[in-house]
């Protein structure tokens, strides 16, 4: 009897609270009243966020939760700034820290909804009263609480745990949590080719890539490469990779000893081009198109009758994208469409292209710089 009366009081309280809300919010609460939700907690650069989102997508499916469509943040790592008045600890660029992109600017939400139940961020924010009940960040230091990401999302979370949601016991413990935040950088799950089926670029990005392809290639076959060289953020962390237990140099290493230099890059590109009988090469890179290293690669290949194209400046001018966010995505689509592709093994940018190609039966003409180096092609 006591439990019956308690349940009745909760039911009456819920109806009273619902009646006090505006009519449109009442409709949202009623529409989703029997649903549980998974809100992706994302960090790092865009392609790291896409990988984490694919992991969250898989988790939402397993847990039978409605997936919240998140926003995306530009690449804005913490640097130790040296100008006068700069903070004494690494910090993010304040201007970039104010930028975010809605889900639908990058991926097609209608296509995703064919595979998993979804809810847009604004509706979810109103439904959960802008507050997550619990946030799970498996294997992460959750002390900073994803402050930047949650601030942009207009949502708060005060209850963090690093519990492992792969455990059935833990899953049961969280089964009563309706509004759950979730973060995991599970590279093995996030790069499974079947999860790339659920994500299709937004129509505007496909239009931009189509325009660039018509201008650059005019229907001709081409190969593509992603050359991710070292920068101030990654130059030391990308120098300790191994293949089959053996230390291997990386395109993105910046210490000089463990880097694959421009002449070796040119040799590896020539190997791909020769194997696939291609004479046109598109290069997507974090270098400027006028970078002396890229110009030297182009010169070396030109002696073998190869034409190298780098067109991110053209894409930027046509799209008006001063932050290079959409330019980078259009370049990924260009790389996906290529007859052959070579990427940087330890880059999630390459992962995005590689996974899309693998899912769409473009698996026979893909190479990695680091793997070719390990095979002695250098």
């Amino acid at each position: 009897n006591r439990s019956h009366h308690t349940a009745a009081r909760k039911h009456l309280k819920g109806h009273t609270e619902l009646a006090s809300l505006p009519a449109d919010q009442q409709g949202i609460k009623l529409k989703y009243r029997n649903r549980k939700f998974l809100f992706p907690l994302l960090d790092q650069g865009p392609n790291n966020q896409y990988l984490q989102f694919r992991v969250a997508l898989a988790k939402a499916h397993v847990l039978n939760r409605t997936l919240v469509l998140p926003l995306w943040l530009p690449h804005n790592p913490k640097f130790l700034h040296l100008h006068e008045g700069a903070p004494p600890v690494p910090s993010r660029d304040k201007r970039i820290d104010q930028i975010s992109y809605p889900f639908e600017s990058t991926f097609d939400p209608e296509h995703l909804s064919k595979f998993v139940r979804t809810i847009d961020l604004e509706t979810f924010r109103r439904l959960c009263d802008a507050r997550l009940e619990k946030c799970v960040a498996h294997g992460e230091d959750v002390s900073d609480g994803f402050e930047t990401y949650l601030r942009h999302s207009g949502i708060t979370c005060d209850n963090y745990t690093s519990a492992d949601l792969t455990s059935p016991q833990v899953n049961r413990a969280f089964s009563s949590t309706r509004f759950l935040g979730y973060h995991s950088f599970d590279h093995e799950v996030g790069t499974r080719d079947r999860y790339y089926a659920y994500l299709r670029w937004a129509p505007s990005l496909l239009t931009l890539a189509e325009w660039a392809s018509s201008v650059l290639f005019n229907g001709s076959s081409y190969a593509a490469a992603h050359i991710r060289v070292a920068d101030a953020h990654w130059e030391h962390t990308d120098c300790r990779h191994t293949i089959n237990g053996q230390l291997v140099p990386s395109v993105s290493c910046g210490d000089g000893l463990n880097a694959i230099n421009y002449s070796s890059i040119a040799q590896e590109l020539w190997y791909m081009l020769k194997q696939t009988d291609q004479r046109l090469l598109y290069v997507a890179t974090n270098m400027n198109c006028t970078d002396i290293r890229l110009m030297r690669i182009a010169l070396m290949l030109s002696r073998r009758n190869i034409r190298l194209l780098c067109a991110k400046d053209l894409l930027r001018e046509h799209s008006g994208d001063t932050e290079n966010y959409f330019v980078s995505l259009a370049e990924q689509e260009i790389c996906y469409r290529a007859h052959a592709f070579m990427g940087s093994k330890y880059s999630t940018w390459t992962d995005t292209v590689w996974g899309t190609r693998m899912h769409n039966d473009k698996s026979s003409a893909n190479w990695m710089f680091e793997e070719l180096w390990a095979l002695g092609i250098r």
Side-chain angles (χ1 to χ4, degrees):
N1 285 338
R2 181 178 299 174
S3 62
H4 174 76
H5 288 305
T6 301
R9 282 196 299 271
K10 288 183 178 178
H11 185 71
L12 179 61
K13 180 181 178 183
H15 274 282
T16 303
E17 291 176 347
L18 185 63
S20 66
L21 297 173
D24 58 341
Q25 195 160 359
Q26 286 186 39
I28 292 172
K29 299 273 189 179
L30 288 170
K31 179 180 178 179
Y32 295 102
R33 63 185 179 276
N34 295 321
R35 299 263 197 102
K36 294 177 182 178
F37 301 87
L38 189 143
F39 175 84
L41 292 167
L42 310 178
D43 65 0
Q44 304 181 60
N47 285 280
N48 285 277
Q49 294 169 49
Y50 306 155
L51 187 150
Q52 295 161 27
F53 179 71
R54 292 191 295 271
V55 177
L57 188 160
K59 184 60 67 175
H61 177 74
V62 169
L63 299 180
N64 193 28
R65 287 179 176 266
T66 298
L67 182 66
V68 183
L69 300 182
L71 50 76
W72 312 108
L73 300 183
H75 187 58
N76 188 21
K78 290 183 178 181
F79 287 101
L80 182 59
H81 300 279
L82 303 177
H83 60 271
E84 185 177 351
V89 295
S91 61
R92 304 186 194 279
D93 184 291
K94 291 184 178 180
R95 182 187 63 81
I96 299 177
D97 199 43
Q98 303 305 312
I99 299 172
S100 64
Y101 302 96
F103 181 89
E104 63 273 14
S105 71
T106 303
F107 294 109
D108 183 350
E110 185 175 345
H111 180 72
L112 176 59
S113 67
K114 296 175 183 178
F115 302 97
V116 64
R117 291 195 309 270
T118 63
I119 184 173
D120 66 88
L121 179 58
E122 181 179 355
T123 301
F124 177 73
R125 189 188 300 121
R126 299 177 69 188
L127 181 67
C128 71
D129 299 322
R131 181 178 171 274
L132 297 169
E133 295 172 58
K134 293 179 182 177
C135 288
V136 177
H138 177 51
E140 295 285 323
D141 177 6
V142 298
S143 58
D144 67 355
F146 298 90
E147 184 276 329
T148 300
Y149 191 78
L150 289 173
R151 170 168 52 81
H152 278 280
S153 302
I155 289 176
T156 63
C157 184
D158 301 319
N159 188 354
Y160 282 90
T161 177
S162 58
D164 182 3
L165 284 191
T166 61
S167 163
Q169 293 85 354
V170 174
N171 278 335
R172 285 194 293 271
F174 283 92
S175 62
S176 62
T177 302
R178 191 177 180 208
F179 304 120
L180 179 67
Y182 177 76
H183 171 89
S184 174
F185 193 95
D186 188 329
H187 191 268
E188 192 276 325
V189 173
T191 54
R192 289 177 186 170
D193 62 350
R194 69 174 179 268
Y195 293 124
Y196 291 88
Y198 306 152
L199 295 173
R200 177 188 294 165
W201 294 128
S204 59
L205 289 173
L206 295 176
T207 300
L208 179 58
E210 183 62 34
W211 172 84
S213 296
S214 64
V215 170
L216 296 170
F217 314 122
N218 194 28
S220 299
S221 179
Y222 66 96
H226 174 228
I227 305 176
R228 169 53 169 102
V229 298
D231 61 23
H233 183 58
W234 292 113
E235 63 177 3
H236 297 299
T237 57
D238 267 11
C239 296
R240 298 184 296 274
H241 294 295
T242 59
I243 294 179
N244 297 326
Q246 298 297 314
L247 187 68
V248 62
S250 167
V251 172
S252 50
C253 173
D255 68 4
L257 290 175
N258 297 299
I260 299 177
N261 61 29
Y262 73 86
S263 60
S264 293
I265 289 173
Q267 283 296 111
E268 295 182 48
L269 289 171
W270 169 239
Y271 175 85
M272 172 184 70
L273 294 160
K274 186 170 58 173
Q275 291 291 315
T276 56
D277 195 26
Q278 299 296 304
R279 289 293 180 266
L280 193 58
L281 174 68
Y282 185 85
V283 171
T285 177
N286 60 329
M287 292 182 280
N288 292 325
C289 290
T290 55
D291 190 289
I292 188 63
R293 293 166 293 181
L294 191 59
M295 294 175 70
R296 286 172 174 167
I297 292 170
L299 178 61
M300 293 177 69
L301 291 174
S302 69
R303 293 169 180 160
R304 288 167 167 162
N305 200 27
I306 302 297
R307 183 183 174 204
L308 186 151
L309 298 173
C310 177
K312 63 181 177 182
D313 294 334
L314 180 69
L315 283 163
R316 187 186 304 116
E317 181 180 353
H318 182 77
S319 65
D321 176 24
T322 58
E323 304 301 328
N324 288 325
Y325 178 79
F326 299 112
V327 167
S328 179
L329 302 183
E331 288 196 299
Q332 287 178 302
E333 175 65 16
I334 290 170
C335 289
Y336 156 69
R337 297 181 183 191
H339 177 77
F341 174 70
M342 184 174 293
S344 302
K345 185 174 179 64
Y346 308 107
S347 163
T348 52
W349 198 104
T350 285
D351 284 341
T352 299
V353 176
W354 189 279
T356 307
R357 289 175 62 86
M358 295 292 284
H359 171 71
N360 290 284
D361 297 324
K362 290 178 177 283
S363 59
S364 61
N366 298 316
W367 287 269
M368 295 286 191
F369 288 106
E370 292 79 5
E371 292 177 354
L372 286 181
W373 175 280
L375 292 172
I377 300 168
R378 56 187 80 163

